[in-house]
Amino acid sequence: MRNLWSLPSSCLTAVASSVPRSAIRSQAARVIHSLPKASTASPLPTHSTRAFSLTSRLFQHLKATSDEETMTVNTTDRLAALRSLMKERNVDIYVVPSEDSHASEYIAECDARRAFISGFTGSAGTAVVTLDKAALATDGRYFNQASKQLDENWHLLKTGLQDVPTWQEWTADESAGGKTVGIDPTLISPAVADKLDGDIKKHGGAGLKAITENLVDLVWGDSRPPRPSEPVFLLGAKYSGKGTAEKLTDLRKELEKKKAAAFVVSMLDEIAWLFNLRGNDIAYNPVFFSYAIVTKDSATLYVDESKLNDEVKQYLAENGIEIKPYTDLFKDTEVLANAAKSTSESDKPTKYLVSNKASWALKLALGGEKHVDEVRSPVGDAKAIKNETELEGMRRCHIRDGAALIKFFAWLEDQLINKKAKLDEVEAADQLEKFRSEQSDFVGLSFDTISSTGPNGAIIHYKPERGSCSVIDPNAIYLCDSGAQFYDGTTDVTRTLHFGQPTDAERKSYTLVLKGNMALDTAVFPKGTSGFALDALARQFLWKYGLDYRHGTGHGVGSFLNVHEGPIGIGTRKAYIDVPLAPGNVLSIEPGYYEDGNYGIRIENLAIVREVKTEHQFGDKPYLGFEHVTMVPYCRKLIDESLLTQEEKDWLNKSNEEIRKNMAGYFDGDQLTTEWLLRETSPF
């Protein structure tokens, strides 16, 4: 398996198409287990990194070489079996969400229940099945795909279009006449469940019923993929910067402040961060299936113990952490609930904390409303403020990542312009991954690369598919949004380029987006300011021309964790109003502009929030600003200098000088890349 790393894409495709998915995981796991143990100071050795990444690469090829994007699945028998189970349990309507039990953005194959029952494989959507109807709701990114994949049993709800109901509205309408709606309570939050229950009852339905057995799993039966069981490894102090004992102490202080008996941790990235462990159970996210309960004097990690090597077990023991089976979590929460009930007659009933993203099932198991407080996770808040070791790791990994991207863009231009090569979007993405894999501490990608030419760039969440994607047009705009996982950090960067002669309109659009990026990058704001308040800074130049973009301006980023990390962000979401930015936050700055059918432009950097010195300190408040860490130049030929102020030109010159300085030594002997870099960073 180790030798497969060096295989070309065509060979990987052949391997992926002939090897069962479960076998890929088990083979990669055996490779990792057969390697030397990691030390506390550093994680797995290079071969293990490659095994980690190889698993993801094989899955990408396996998915890409299938026909699932256009294949229609006959769901008649599946729906009949589901409806039979619904009748047995007195359920008239059954809801099948996309999420897993941990509210993960990315899910494992065993949790792809909505895809199984409906045949629709897009990442976003909800299926609702009645005894005689079935509806699938998804957003505009997937209208075309859903229309091809859904068979005649399904009605497509095109969310966001005028007069089209949401899945909640459709469900409530169908519940009229006293019908009961069922759902797996592990797949929905208490807040969403409460609102849905209220809507159902308002429309004359009986209400929302928690069905503890997942009915789709019962239909799926033995064909359901097994739950991943990848090895868990220790992320040493060299990269984590803060020990688990100290993190637990901080969490217990929060429990004391809130007068709570325990916090049940359900988000996978929060558990990985809290215990300084990483895994590979979900593609692109170095997490592992687990729960945790932390009280004032104990900590328990619920995980499949077979995933843990001796080093991990020793580390957990040294930090006073008990290991219990993953499946014991709900049994133990019921014990906590019973303990709480025994003291419920007192003036101050026992309270347990859960994240506001935890499942309805978890809240019910802990005793319900009386004994459970849903809060913004204190672990999530702490994780979002990186320590100095993590921040320095983010700086270092972005230099290496920048070197890979610069090499890639120089290579791609040479291939398209000088060698007249015909490369499609996936082939370009493969080459970028290869360049990244040559960098130290590389683990894998942080998400599917968005490699898009011309009009495909206008599709904000575009994903090129092998065998059916477009050939890159050197005379059109090329948008590349990509990222990587390194042991010392996570990257996410978007650059928009043109290899030919851009139009004046393209140059104007690009420059307006760039001006917005610079305006936010250079912003200075008082402590307590939220990303909601800053969003307009990035849009202001587009707004002057009546232009805008339909996505947020920035999201939080984990430290060798999830590329999308809460609770911070920059945008108009209500959630961002209540969470001020703080020193140590790492987030993206990514304004864009999209002209349907023609091109898309997005410029994305990652930036660290830091305290800045100001001449005055009104209100005795500290003032904050950004330090960008992305080290990739902007496309010179897309910049209209006439639209730039002298201050903006100075900023670009300073940024380019910083990039050249950080790239010293990376391209020795590489004339092609060196010349490209010098050209793209030449002074204005």
Side-chain angles (χ1 to χ4, degrees):
M1 195 69 161
R2 299 183 211 183
N3 294 333
L4 288 176
W5 179 257
S6 60
L7 290 176
S9 296
S10 58
C11 293
L12 278 170
T13 302
V15 171
S17 61
S18 61
V19 179
R21 299 178 187 215
S22 58
I24 294 173
R25 285 197 177 276
S26 61
Q27 286 290 335
R30 282 194 285 271
V31 170
I32 293 176
H33 277 308
S34 69
L35 297 168
K37 289 203 311 180
S39 67
T40 303
S42 61
L44 296 175
T46 302
H47 285 305
S48 197
T49 301
R50 290 176 174 176
F52 180 110
S53 184
L54 176 58
T55 304
S56 296
R57 291 186 77 207
L58 284 168
F59 273 113
Q60 290 175 51
H61 284 272
L62 182 59
K63 182 178 180 181
T65 52
S66 71
D67 294 325
E68 60 185 26
E69 285 297 324
T70 57
M71 183 175 64
T72 299
V73 176
N74 187 333
T75 62
T76 301
D77 291 342
R78 297 176 185 182
L79 288 171
L82 176 59
R83 285 167 175 146
S84 177
L85 293 171
M86 290 164 59
K87 291 176 182 177
E88 291 175 8
R89 289 156 179 80
N90 297 316
V91 171
D92 302 291
I93 303 169
Y94 191 68
V95 179
V96 187
S98 297
E99 292 77 15
D100 66 8
S101 301
H102 303 274
S104 303
E105 178 183 8
Y106 292 84
I107 60 172
E109 290 185 330
C110 61
D111 291 320
R113 300 177 177 95
R114 187 224 61 225
F116 170 78
I117 199 64
S118 69
F120 168 63
T121 60
S123 65
T126 301
V128 184
V129 179
T130 75
L131 295 178
D132 58 2
K133 299 177 185 176
L136 185 286
T138 191
D139 60 53
R141 294 173 294 167
Y142 299 107
F143 290 167
N144 185 48
Q145 180 180 336
S147 65
K148 293 178 180 178
Q149 290 184 322
L150 297 176
D151 68 7
E152 66 279 0
N153 291 299
W154 292 85
H155 171 62
L156 176 60
L157 299 175
K158 296 183 177 182
T159 304
L161 295 188
Q162 189 174 357
D163 299 326
V164 175
T166 64
W167 70 265
Q168 295 97 328
E169 292 168 341
W170 193 88
T171 301
D173 287 342
E174 289 295 321
S175 71
K179 294 176 183 176
T180 297
V181 180
I183 193 169
D184 179 343
T186 68
L187 305 180
I188 190 172
S189 72
V192 175
D194 288 346
K195 186 177 186 309
L196 181 58
D197 182 60
D199 291 344
I200 291 167
K201 290 175 179 176
K202 285 179 183 177
H203 284 73
L208 184 65
K209 180 179 180 181
I211 308 297
T212 54
E213 287 182 299
N214 190 287
L215 303 188
V216 175
D217 288 353
L218 296 179
V219 175
W220 213 341
D222 294 338
S223 298
R224 184 186 175 210
R227 183 170 293 281
S229 188
E230 293 290 294
V232 173
F233 59 91
L234 176 65
L235 189 70
K238 175 183 177 182
Y239 299 112
S240 64
K242 190 174 184 178
T244 295
E246 187 177 356
K247 293 178 180 180
L248 288 172
T249 297
D250 292 343
L251 177 55
R252 287 171 176 138
K253 290 177 182 177
E254 291 298 316
L255 290 178
E256 181 64 27
K257 287 180 185 178
K258 292 179 169 59
K259 307 299 180 184
F263 180 58
V264 182
V265 195
S266 57
M267 300 291 287
L268 300 183
D269 63 329
E270 293 183 6
I271 295 167
W273 178 86
L274 183 63
F275 296 110
N276 287 339
L277 301 175
R278 299 294 188 269
N280 188 29
D281 281 349
I282 296 181
Y284 308 117
N285 299 268
V287 297
F288 53 97
F289 283 105
S290 53
Y291 288 99
I293 297 179
V294 178
T295 71
K296 64 180 181 179
D297 53 17
S298 69
T300 306
L301 176 63
Y302 295 84
V303 63
D304 180 354
E305 193 170 347
S306 66
K307 297 180 177 184
L308 312 181
N309 60 27
D310 291 341
E311 182 188 26
V312 172
K313 292 178 183 178
Q314 181 180 343
Y315 178 80
L316 294 173
E318 289 172 351
N319 285 276
I321 299 159
E322 184 180 5
I323 303 169
K324 284 192 174 184
Y326 176 77
T327 52
D328 278 6
L329 182 279
F330 282 95
K331 180 177 68 176
D332 284 3
T333 53
E334 290 174 4
V335 172
L336 292 176
N338 290 331
K341 290 175 184 176
S342 67
T343 60
S344 62
E345 299 302 320
S346 66
D347 293 335
K348 294 181 179 180
T350 300
K351 283 284 188 177
Y352 302 116
L353 301 183
V354 298
S355 163
N356 52 18
K357 293 184 178 180
S359 70
W360 185 28
L362 192 54
K363 182 175 181 178
L364 293 174
L366 285 165
E369 196 72 37
K370 187 174 183 179
H371 297 290
V372 179
D373 282 342
E374 300 164 60
V375 298
R376 197 175 73 227
S377 171
V379 178
D381 284 354
K383 175 169 56 65
I385 299 176
K386 275 60 177 175
N387 59 54
E388 286 304 317
T389 299
E390 292 173 319
L391 293 177
E392 187 56 34
M394 292 296 277
R395 295 183 184 102
R396 289 195 308 266
C397 76
H398 276 85
I399 292 172
R400 300 194 304 276
D401 197 59
L405 279 157
I406 289 168
K407 186 174 181 179
F408 167 67
F409 291 138
W411 172 87
L412 184 58
E413 180 181 273
D414 181 60
Q415 291 290 314
L416 296 175
I417 302 303
N418 298 326
K419 297 181 179 177
K420 308 299 181 184
K422 299 294 183 183
L423 294 170
D424 67 31
E425 295 160 326
V426 169
E427 289 171 329
D430 286 345
Q431 186 64 39
L432 174 54
E433 184 179 359
K434 179 179 182 297
F435 287 147
R436 277 193 164 114
S437 71
E438 295 167 355
Q439 299 297 324
S440 62
D441 280 348
F442 173 81
V443 179
L445 301 183
S446 55
F447 58 95
D448 272 323
T449 296
I450 301 175
S451 171
S452 54
T453 184
N456 294 337
I459 304 171
I460 296 171
H461 294 280
Y462 176 73
K463 181 182 180 298
E465 297 295 337
R466 193 176 306 278
S468 61
C469 64
S470 300
V471 172
I472 298 174
D473 182 357
N475 295 309
I477 280 181
Y478 175 71
L479 186 154
C480 182
D481 186 347
S482 66
Q485 296 285 6
F486 296 91
Y487 283 125
D488 51 355
T490 300
T491 70
D492 182 3
V493 55
T494 307
R495 286 295 181 265
T496 306
L497 300 92
H498 202 298
F499 304 107
Q501 294 299 320
T503 66
D504 290 342
E506 290 170 337
R507 295 176 70 238
K508 181 178 181 179
S509 298
Y510 181 93
T511 307
L512 294 177
V513 172
L514 177 59
K515 286 168 71 71
N517 188 290
M518 290 189 285
L520 191 48
D521 182 280
T522 57
V524 176
F525 47 93
K527 183 180 179 181
T529 302
S530 70
F532 185 93
L534 295 175
D535 181 71
L537 294 177
R539 300 178 190 266
Q540 60 179 309
F541 302 101
L542 289 166
W543 283 354
K544 287 180 179 179
Y545 292 89
L547 304 174
D548 205 349
Y549 49 94
R550 292 188 178 96
H551 59 73
T553 298
H555 56 82
V557 179
S559 179
F560 184 28
L561 273 173
N562 297 359
V563 73
H564 292 161
E565 178 180 84
I568 58 166
I570 301 173
T572 56
R573 290 174 55 185
K574 292 181 180 179
Y576 295 152
I577 298 175
D578 301 326
V579 189
L581 302 185
N585 288 156
V586 177
L587 68 168
S588 68
I589 298 175
E590 50 179 309
Y593 173 68
Y594 310 90
E595 192 168 293
D596 290 345
N598 289 318
Y599 60 85
I601 294 167
R602 186 161 61 252
I603 300 172
E604 177 184 19
N605 295 329
L606 295 196
I608 296 169
V609 180
R610 59 183 178 85
E611 192 168 330
V612 299
K613 292 182 179 180
T614 54
E615 183 178 354
H616 305 285
Q617 263 192 334
F618 182 81
D620 293 325
K621 281 186 176 182
Y623 278 71
L624 309 178
F626 294 108
E627 171 198 344
H628 63 260
V629 293
T630 302
M631 292 292 146
V632 184
Y634 307 96
C635 183
R636 274 307 279 262
K637 65 172 58 178
L638 277 170
I639 298 174
D640 184 345
E641 289 190 49
S642 69
L643 296 176
L644 299 178
T645 65
Q646 187 57 50
E647 184 179 9
E648 290 168 337
K649 292 178 183 178
D650 291 342
W651 184 93
L652 285 168
N653 287 336
K654 183 179 178 181
S655 174
N656 286 336
E657 183 180 352
E658 183 182 15
I659 292 170
R660 288 197 303 271
K661 179 181 177 181
N662 281 305
M663 291 302 119
Y666 276 94
F667 309 124
D668 291 347
D670 184 349
Q671 182 179 354
L672 175 69
T673 305
T674 299
E675 290 179 354
W676 186 91
L677 176 61
L678 291 175
R679 185 192 75 205
E680 293 299 307
T681 59
S682 58
F684 285 90

